[in-house]
Amino acid sequence: HTSDGATSTETQITGVTLTNNNTYRIELEDGVAARFYVNGVLEQTLTTTLPNSGSIKFGFGSQGNSSDNGRSVMGPVWFGVEK
């Protein structure tokens, strides 16, 4: 998810097994691109509705919290970069 403060762009990354240990990374090139990586692999590049000035906010979240043999399991993961 990216937002320039007026409009936003959302995209979905598929093929990630959420019950595995995964690493996530976002690289923001100010006003040019936001790159989303999962386990070191570039999965998505967004080039529209990017924050390009002022304070930039970063956030992430997850839906649900079920149990798998006593361990918490994350649902879908959301990341956002906004103005």
Coordinates of all heavy atoms in Angstrom, one line a residue:
H1 N 0.9 -1.2 0.0 CA 0.0 0.0 0.0 C 0.9 1.2 0.0 O 1.8 1.3 0.8 CB -0.9 0.0 1.2 CG -1.6 1.2 1.6 ND1 -2.9 1.5 1.1 CD2 -1.2 2.3 2.3 CE1 -3.2 2.6 1.6 NE2 -2.2 3.2 2.3
T2 N 0.6 2.1 -0.9 CA 1.3 3.4 -0.9 C 0.2 4.5 -1.0 O -0.8 4.3 -1.5 CB 2.3 3.6 -2.1 OG1 1.6 3.4 -3.3 CG2 3.4 2.6 -2.0
S3 N 0.6 5.7 -0.4 CA -0.4 6.8 -0.4 C 0.4 8.1 -0.5 O 1.4 8.3 0.3 CB -1.3 6.8 0.8 OG -2.1 7.9 0.8
D4 N -0.1 9.0 -1.3 CA 0.6 10.3 -1.4 C -0.2 11.4 -0.6 O 0.1 12.6 -0.6 CB 0.7 10.8 -2.8 CG -0.7 10.9 -3.5 OD1 -1.7 10.8 -2.9 OD2 -0.7 11.1 -4.8
G5 N -1.1 10.9 0.3 CA -1.9 11.8 1.1 C -3.3 12.1 0.5 O -4.2 12.5 1.2
A6 N -3.4 11.9 -0.8 CA -4.7 12.2 -1.4 C -5.3 10.9 -2.0 O -6.5 10.6 -1.9 CB -4.5 13.2 -2.5
T7 N -4.5 10.1 -2.6 CA -4.9 8.8 -3.2 C -4.0 7.7 -2.8 O -2.9 8.0 -2.3 CB -5.0 8.9 -4.8 OG1 -3.7 9.2 -5.3 CG2 -6.0 9.9 -5.3
S8 N -4.4 6.5 -3.0 CA -3.6 5.3 -2.6 C -3.6 4.2 -3.6 O -4.5 4.2 -4.5 CB -4.0 4.8 -1.2 OG -5.3 4.3 -1.3
T9 N -2.6 3.4 -3.6 CA -2.4 2.2 -4.4 C -2.3 1.0 -3.5 O -1.5 1.0 -2.6 CB -1.2 2.3 -5.4 OG1 -1.4 3.5 -6.2 CG2 -1.1 1.1 -6.3
E10 N -3.0 -0.1 -3.8 CA -2.9 -1.3 -3.1 C -2.6 -2.4 -4.0 O -3.1 -2.5 -5.1 CB -4.2 -1.6 -2.3 CG -4.4 -0.6 -1.2 CD -5.5 -1.0 -0.2 OE1 -5.9 -2.1 -0.2 OE2 -6.0 -0.1 0.5
T11 N -1.8 -3.4 -3.5 CA -1.4 -4.5 -4.3 C -1.3 -5.7 -3.4 O -1.1 -5.6 -2.2 CB -0.1 -4.3 -5.1 OG1 0.0 -5.4 -6.0 CG2 1.0 -4.2 -4.2
Q12 N -1.4 -6.9 -3.9 CA -1.3 -8.1 -3.1 C -0.1 -8.9 -3.6 O 0.1 -9.1 -4.8 CB -2.6 -8.9 -3.3 CG -2.7 -10.2 -2.4 CD -4.0 -10.9 -2.5 OE1 -4.7 -10.8 -3.5 NE2 -4.4 -11.5 -1.4
I13 N 0.6 -9.4 -2.6 CA 1.7 -10.4 -2.8 C 1.2 -11.8 -2.5 O 0.8 -12.0 -1.4 CB 3.0 -10.0 -2.0 CG1 3.5 -8.6 -2.5 CG2 4.0 -11.0 -2.2 CD1 4.6 -8.1 -1.6
T14 N 1.3 -12.7 -3.4 CA 0.8 -14.0 -3.2 C 2.0 -15.0 -3.1 O 3.1 -14.7 -3.5 CB -0.2 -14.5 -4.3 OG1 0.5 -14.4 -5.5 CG2 -1.4 -13.5 -4.3
G15 N 1.7 -16.2 -2.7 CA 2.7 -17.3 -2.7 C 3.6 -17.3 -1.5 O 4.6 -18.0 -1.4
V16 N 3.2 -16.6 -0.4 CA 4.0 -16.6 0.8 C 3.3 -17.5 1.8 O 2.1 -17.3 2.1 CB 4.1 -15.1 1.4 CG1 4.8 -15.1 2.7 CG2 4.7 -14.2 0.4
T17 N 4.0 -18.4 2.4 CA 3.4 -19.3 3.4 C 3.6 -18.6 4.8 O 4.7 -18.5 5.3 CB 4.2 -20.7 3.4 OG1 4.1 -21.2 2.1 CG2 3.5 -21.6 4.4
L18 N 2.4 -18.1 5.3 CA 2.5 -17.3 6.5 C 2.9 -18.1 7.7 O 3.3 -17.5 8.7 CB 1.1 -16.6 6.7 CG 0.7 -15.6 5.6 CD1 -0.7 -15.1 5.8 CD2 1.8 -14.5 5.5
T19 N 2.7 -19.4 7.7 CA 3.1 -20.2 8.9 C 4.6 -20.4 8.9 O 5.2 -20.9 9.9 CB 2.4 -21.5 8.9 OG1 2.6 -22.2 7.7 CG2 0.9 -21.3 9.2
N20 N 5.4 -20.0 7.9 CA 6.8 -20.1 7.9 C 7.4 -18.8 8.5 O 6.7 -17.8 8.5 CB 7.4 -20.2 6.4 CG 7.1 -21.6 5.8 OD1 6.6 -22.5 6.5 ND2 7.3 -21.7 4.5
N21 N 8.6 -18.9 8.9 CA 9.3 -17.6 9.3 C 9.7 -16.9 8.0 O 10.4 -17.5 7.2 CB 10.6 -18.0 10.1 CG 10.3 -18.5 11.5 OD1 9.3 -18.1 12.1 ND2 11.1 -19.4 12.0
N22 N 9.2 -15.7 7.9 CA 9.5 -14.9 6.7 C 10.1 -13.6 7.1 O 9.9 -13.0 8.2 CB 8.2 -14.6 6.0 CG 7.5 -15.8 5.4 OD1 8.1 -16.5 4.6 ND2 6.3 -16.1 6.0
T23 N 10.9 -13.0 6.2 CA 11.5 -11.7 6.4 C 10.9 -10.7 5.4 O 10.6 -11.1 4.2 CB 13.0 -11.6 6.3 OG1 13.4 -12.1 5.0 CG2 13.7 -12.5 7.4
Y24 N 10.6 -9.5 5.8 CA 10.0 -8.5 5.0 C 10.8 -7.3 5.0 O 11.4 -6.9 6.0 CB 8.6 -8.2 5.5 CG 7.6 -9.4 5.6 CD1 7.5 -10.1 6.8 CD2 6.9 -9.8 4.5 CE1 6.7 -11.2 6.8 CE2 6.1 -10.9 4.5 CZ 6.0 -11.6 5.7 OH 5.2 -12.7 5.8
R25 N 10.9 -6.6 3.8 CA 11.7 -5.4 3.7 C 11.0 -4.5 2.7 O 10.5 -4.9 1.6 CB 13.1 -5.7 3.2 CG 14.0 -4.5 3.1 CD 15.5 -4.9 2.7 NE 15.6 -4.9 1.3 CZ 16.3 -5.9 0.6 NH1 16.9 -6.9 1.3 NH2 16.4 -5.9 -0.7
I26 N 11.0 -3.2 3.0 CA 10.5 -2.2 2.1 C 11.6 -1.2 1.9 O 12.2 -0.7 2.8 CB 9.3 -1.5 2.6 CG1 8.1 -2.5 2.8 CG2 8.8 -0.4 1.7 CD1 6.9 -1.9 3.5
E27 N 11.9 -0.9 0.6 CA 12.8 0.1 0.2 C 12.0 1.2 -0.4 O 11.3 1.0 -1.4 CB 13.9 -0.4 -0.7 CG 14.8 -1.4 -0.1 CD 15.8 -2.0 -1.1 OE1 15.8 -1.6 -2.3 OE2 16.7 -2.7 -0.7
L28 N 12.2 2.4 0.1 CA 11.4 3.6 -0.4 C 12.5 4.5 -1.1 O 13.4 5.0 -0.4 CB 10.7 4.3 0.6 CG 9.9 5.6 0.2 CD1 8.9 5.2 -0.9 CD2 9.3 6.3 1.4
E29 N 12.3 4.7 -2.4 CA 13.1 5.7 -3.1 C 12.2 6.9 -3.2 O 11.3 6.9 -4.1 CB 13.6 5.2 -4.4 CG 14.6 6.0 -5.1 CD 15.1 5.4 -6.4 OE1 14.8 4.2 -6.7 OE2 15.8 6.1 -7.2
D30 N 12.5 7.9 -2.5 CA 11.6 9.1 -2.3 C 11.0 9.6 -3.6 O 11.8 10.1 -4.5 CB 12.3 10.2 -1.6 CG 11.4 11.2 -1.0 OD1 10.2 11.0 -0.8 OD2 11.9 12.3 -0.7
G31 N 9.7 9.5 -3.8 CA 9.0 10.0 -5.0 C 9.2 9.2 -6.2 O 8.7 9.5 -7.3
V32 N 9.9 8.1 -6.1 CA 10.3 7.3 -7.3 C 9.6 5.9 -7.3 O 8.9 5.5 -8.2 CB 11.8 7.1 -7.5 CG1 12.1 6.2 -8.7 CG2 12.4 8.5 -7.7
A33 N 9.9 5.1 -6.2 CA 9.4 3.7 -6.1 C 9.4 3.2 -4.7 O 10.2 3.7 -3.9 CB 10.2 2.8 -7.0
A34 N 8.5 2.3 -4.4 CA 8.5 1.6 -3.1 C 8.6 0.1 -3.5 O 7.8 -0.4 -4.4 CB 7.2 1.8 -2.3
R35 N 9.7 -0.6 -3.0 CA 9.9 -1.9 -3.4 C 9.7 -2.8 -2.2 O 10.2 -2.6 -1.1 CB 11.4 -2.1 -3.9 CG 11.6 -1.3 -5.2 CD 13.1 -1.4 -5.6 NE 13.3 -0.5 -6.8 CZ 13.6 0.8 -6.7 NH1 13.7 1.4 -5.5 NH2 13.7 1.5 -7.8
F36 N 8.9 -3.9 -2.4 CA 8.5 -4.8 -1.3 C 9.2 -6.2 -1.5 O 9.0 -6.8 -2.6 CB 7.0 -5.0 -1.3 CG 6.3 -3.7 -1.0 CD1 6.0 -2.8 -2.0 CD2 5.8 -3.4 0.3 CE1 5.4 -1.6 -1.7 CE2 5.1 -2.2 0.6 CZ 4.9 -1.3 -0.5
Y37 N 10.0 -6.6 -0.5 CA 10.7 -7.8 -0.6 C 10.2 -8.8 0.4 O 9.8 -8.4 1.5 CB 12.2 -7.6 -0.3 CG 12.9 -6.8 -1.3 CD1 12.9 -5.4 -1.3 CD2 13.8 -7.4 -2.2 CE1 13.6 -4.6 -2.2 CE2 14.5 -6.6 -3.1 CZ 14.4 -5.2 -3.1 OH 15.1 -4.5 -4.0
V38 N 10.1 -10.1 0.1 CA 9.8 -11.2 1.0 C 10.9 -12.2 0.9 O 11.3 -12.7 -0.2 CB 8.5 -11.8 0.7 CG1 8.2 -13.0 1.7 CG2 7.3 -10.8 0.7
N39 N 11.6 -12.5 2.0 CA 12.7 -13.4 2.1 C 13.8 -13.1 1.1 O 14.4 -14.0 0.4 CB 12.2 -14.9 1.9 CG 11.2 -15.3 3.0 OD1 11.4 -14.9 4.1 ND2 10.1 -16.0 2.6
G40 N 14.1 -11.8 1.0 CA 15.1 -11.3 0.1 C 14.8 -11.3 -1.4 O 15.7 -10.9 -2.2
V41 N 13.6 -11.6 -1.8 CA 13.2 -11.6 -3.2 C 12.2 -10.4 -3.4 O 11.2 -10.2 -2.7 CB 12.4 -12.9 -3.5 CG1 11.9 -12.9 -5.0 CG2 13.4 -14.1 -3.3
L42 N 12.5 -9.6 -4.4 CA 11.7 -8.5 -4.8 C 10.4 -9.1 -5.3 O 10.3 -9.8 -6.3 CB 12.3 -7.6 -5.9 CG 11.5 -6.5 -6.4 CD1 11.2 -5.5 -5.3 CD2 12.2 -5.8 -7.6
E43 N 9.3 -8.7 -4.6 CA 7.9 -9.3 -5.0 C 7.1 -8.2 -5.7 O 6.2 -8.6 -6.4 CB 7.2 -9.8 -3.7 CG 7.9 -11.0 -3.1 CD 7.8 -12.3 -3.9 OE1 7.0 -12.3 -4.8 OE2 8.5 -13.2 -3.6
Q44 N 7.3 -6.9 -5.4 CA 6.4 -5.9 -5.9 C 7.1 -4.6 -5.9 O 7.8 -4.2 -5.0 CB 5.1 -5.8 -5.1 CG 4.0 -5.0 -5.7 CD 3.5 -5.5 -6.9 OE1 3.6 -4.9 -8.0 NE2 2.8 -6.6 -6.9
T45 N 6.9 -3.8 -7.0 CA 7.4 -2.4 -7.1 C 6.2 -1.5 -7.4 O 5.5 -1.8 -8.4 CB 8.5 -2.3 -8.1 OG1 9.6 -3.2 -7.8 CG2 9.0 -0.9 -8.2
L46 N 6.0 -0.5 -6.5 CA 4.9 0.4 -6.8 C 5.6 1.8 -7.1 O 6.5 2.2 -6.5 CB 4.0 0.6 -5.5 CG 3.3 -0.6 -5.1 CD1 2.4 -0.4 -3.9 CD2 2.4 -1.2 -6.2
T47 N 5.1 2.4 -8.2 CA 5.6 3.7 -8.6 C 4.6 4.8 -8.7 O 4.9 5.9 -9.1 CB 6.3 3.5 -10.0 OG1 5.3 3.1 -10.9 CG2 7.4 2.6 -10.0
T48 N 3.4 4.5 -8.2 CA 2.3 5.5 -8.2 C 1.9 5.8 -6.8 O 2.1 5.0 -5.8 CB 1.1 5.0 -9.0 OG1 0.6 3.8 -8.4 CG2 1.4 4.8 -10.4
T49 N 1.3 7.0 -6.6 CA 0.8 7.5 -5.3 C 1.8 7.3 -4.2 O 1.5 6.9 -3.1 CB -0.5 6.8 -4.9 OG1 -0.3 5.4 -4.6 CG2 -1.6 7.0 -5.9
L50 N 3.1 7.7 -4.5 CA 4.1 7.7 -3.5 C 4.2 8.9 -2.6 O 4.1 10.0 -3.2 CB 5.5 7.4 -4.2 CG 5.6 6.1 -5.0 CD1 6.9 6.2 -5.8 CD2 5.6 5.0 -4.0
P51 N 4.5 8.8 -1.4 CA 4.8 10.0 -0.6 C 6.1 10.6 -1.1 O 7.1 9.9 -1.3 CB 5.0 9.5 0.9 CG 5.3 8.0 0.7 CD 4.7 7.6 -0.6
N52 N 6.2 11.9 -1.3 CA 7.4 12.5 -1.9 C 7.9 13.7 -1.1 O 8.8 14.4 -1.5 CB 7.2 12.8 -3.3 CG 6.0 13.8 -3.6 OD1 5.5 14.3 -2.6 ND2 5.7 14.0 -4.8
S53 N 7.2 14.1 0.0 CA 7.7 15.2 0.8 C 7.0 15.2 2.1 O 6.0 14.5 2.3 CB 7.3 16.5 0.1 OG 5.9 16.7 0.0
G54 N 7.5 15.9 3.0 CA 6.9 16.0 4.4 C 7.3 14.7 5.1 O 8.2 14.0 4.8
S55 N 6.6 14.5 6.2 CA 6.8 13.3 7.0 C 6.3 12.0 6.3 O 5.2 12.1 5.8 CB 6.3 13.4 8.4 OG 4.9 13.6 8.3
I56 N 7.0 11.0 6.3 CA 6.6 9.7 5.7 C 6.3 8.7 6.9 O 7.1 8.6 7.8 CB 7.7 9.1 4.8 CG1 7.8 10.1 3.6 CG2 7.3 7.8 4.3 CD1 9.0 9.7 2.7
K57 N 5.1 8.1 6.8 CA 4.7 7.1 7.8 C 4.8 5.7 7.2 O 4.5 5.4 6.1 CB 3.3 7.4 8.2 CG 3.0 8.7 8.7 CD 1.6 9.0 8.9 CE 1.4 10.5 9.3 NZ 0.1 11.0 9.1
F58 N 5.3 4.8 8.1 CA 5.4 3.4 7.8 C 4.6 2.6 8.8 O 4.6 2.9 9.9 CB 6.9 2.9 7.8 CG 7.0 1.5 7.8 CD1 7.0 0.8 6.5 CD2 7.2 0.7 8.9 CE1 7.1 -0.6 6.4 CE2 7.4 -0.7 8.8 CZ 7.3 -1.3 7.6
G59 N 3.9 1.6 8.3 CA 3.1 0.8 9.2 C 2.9 -0.6 8.6 O 3.1 -0.9 7.5
F60 N 2.6 -1.5 9.5 CA 2.3 -2.9 9.1 C 1.2 -3.5 10.1 O 1.0 -3.0 11.2 CB 3.5 -3.8 9.1 CG 4.1 -4.1 10.4 CD1 3.8 -5.3 11.0 CD2 5.0 -3.2 11.0 CE1 4.4 -5.6 12.3 CE2 5.5 -3.5 12.3 CZ 5.2 -4.7 12.9
G61 N 0.6 -4.5 9.6 CA -0.4 -5.1 10.4 C -0.8 -6.5 9.9 O -0.3 -7.0 8.9
S62 N -1.6 -7.2 10.7 CA -2.0 -8.5 10.3 C -3.5 -8.8 10.7 O -4.0 -8.1 11.6 CB -1.1 -9.5 11.0 OG -1.6 -10.9 10.8
Q63 N -4.1 -9.6 10.0 CA -5.5 -10.0 10.3 C -5.6 -11.3 11.0 O -4.9 -12.2 10.7 CB -6.3 -10.1 9.0 CG -7.7 -10.5 9.2 CD -8.4 -10.7 7.8 OE1 -8.1 -10.1 6.9 NE2 -9.4 -11.5 7.8
G64 N -6.4 -11.3 12.0 CA -6.6 -12.6 12.8 C -5.5 -13.0 13.7 O -4.4 -12.4 13.6
N65 N -5.7 -13.9 14.5 CA -4.7 -14.5 15.4 C -5.2 -15.8 15.9 O -5.8 -16.0 16.9 CB -4.5 -13.5 16.6 CG -3.3 -14.0 17.5 OD1 -2.7 -14.9 17.1 ND2 -3.1 -13.3 18.6
S66 N -5.0 -16.8 15.0 CA -5.4 -18.2 15.4 C -4.3 -18.9 16.1 O -3.2 -18.4 16.2 CB -5.9 -18.9 14.1 OG -4.8 -19.0 13.2
S67 N -4.6 -20.1 16.6 CA -3.6 -20.9 17.3 C -3.3 -22.1 16.5 O -4.1 -22.8 15.9 CB -4.1 -21.2 18.7 OG -3.2 -22.0 19.4
D68 N -2.0 -22.5 16.5 CA -1.5 -23.7 15.8 C -0.6 -24.4 16.8 O 0.6 -24.1 16.9 CB -0.8 -23.3 14.5 CG -0.2 -24.5 13.8 OD1 -0.7 -25.6 14.1 OD2 0.7 -24.3 13.0
N69 N -1.2 -25.3 17.5 CA -0.4 -26.1 18.6 C 0.2 -25.1 19.6 O 1.4 -25.3 19.9 CB 0.6 -27.0 17.9 CG 0.0 -28.1 17.1 OD1 -1.1 -28.6 17.5 ND2 0.6 -28.4 16.0
G70 N -0.5 -24.2 20.1 CA 0.0 -23.3 21.1 C 0.8 -22.1 20.6 O 1.3 -21.3 21.3
R71 N 1.0 -22.0 19.3 CA 1.8 -20.9 18.7 C 0.8 -20.0 18.0 O -0.1 -20.4 17.3 CB 2.9 -21.5 17.9 CG 3.2 -20.9 16.6 CD 4.2 -21.7 15.9 NE 3.6 -22.4 14.8 CZ 4.2 -22.7 13.6 NH1 5.5 -22.4 13.5 NH2 3.6 -23.3 12.7
S72 N 1.0 -18.7 18.1 CA 0.2 -17.7 17.4 C 0.6 -17.8 15.9 O 1.7 -17.9 15.5 CB 0.4 -16.3 17.9 OG -0.1 -16.2 19.2
V73 N -0.4 -17.7 15.1 CA -0.2 -17.7 13.6 C -0.8 -16.4 13.0 O -1.9 -16.0 13.3 CB -1.0 -18.9 13.0 CG1 -0.8 -18.9 11.4 CG2 -0.5 -20.2 13.5
M74 N 0.1 -15.7 12.3 CA -0.3 -14.5 11.7 C -1.2 -14.7 10.5 O -0.9 -15.7 9.7 CB 0.9 -13.7 11.2 CG 1.2 -12.5 12.1 SD 2.8 -11.8 11.8 CE 2.7 -10.9 10.3
G75 N -2.2 -13.9 10.2 CA -2.9 -13.9 9.0 C -2.2 -13.1 8.0 O -1.0 -12.8 8.1
P76 N -3.0 -12.7 6.9 CA -2.3 -11.9 5.9 C -1.6 -10.6 6.5 O -2.1 -10.0 7.4 CB -3.5 -11.4 5.0 CG -4.5 -12.5 5.3 CD -4.4 -12.9 6.7
V77 N -0.5 -10.3 6.0 CA 0.3 -9.2 6.5 C 0.1 -8.0 5.5 O 0.1 -8.1 4.3 CB 1.8 -9.6 6.5 CG1 2.7 -8.4 7.0 CG2 2.0 -10.8 7.3
W78 N -0.1 -6.8 6.1 CA -0.2 -5.6 5.4 C 0.9 -4.6 5.7 O 1.3 -4.5 6.9 CB -1.6 -4.9 5.7 CG -2.8 -5.7 5.3 CD1 -3.1 -6.0 4.0 CD2 -3.8 -6.2 6.1 NE1 -4.3 -6.7 4.0 CE2 -4.7 -6.8 5.3 CE3 -4.0 -6.2 7.4 CZ2 -5.8 -7.5 5.7 CZ3 -5.2 -6.8 7.9 CH2 -6.0 -7.4 7.1
F79 N 1.4 -4.0 4.7 CA 2.5 -3.0 4.9 C 2.0 -1.7 4.2 O 1.3 -1.8 3.1 CB 3.8 -3.4 4.2 CG 4.4 -4.6 5.0 CD1 4.2 -5.8 4.5 CD2 5.2 -4.3 6.1 CE1 4.8 -6.9 5.2 CE2 5.8 -5.4 6.8 CZ 5.6 -6.7 6.3
G80 N 2.3 -0.6 4.7 CA 2.0 0.7 4.1 C 3.1 1.7 4.2 O 3.8 1.8 5.2
V81 N 3.2 2.5 3.2 CA 4.1 3.7 3.2 C 3.2 4.9 2.8 O 2.7 4.9 1.7 CB 5.3 3.5 2.2 CG1 6.2 4.7 2.2 CG2 6.0 2.2 2.5
E82 N 3.1 5.9 3.7 CA 2.2 7.0 3.4 C 2.8 8.3 3.8 O 3.7 8.4 4.6 CB 0.9 6.8 4.3 CG 0.1 5.5 4.0 CD -1.2 5.5 4.7 OE1 -1.4 6.3 5.6 OE2 -1.9 4.6 4.5
K83 N 2.2 9.3 3.2 CA 2.6 10.7 3.6 C 1.8 11.1 4.8 O 0.7 10.8 5.0 CB 2.3 11.6 2.4 CG 2.6 13.1 2.7 CD 2.4 13.9 1.5 CE 2.7 15.4 1.8 NZ 2.5 16.2 0.7

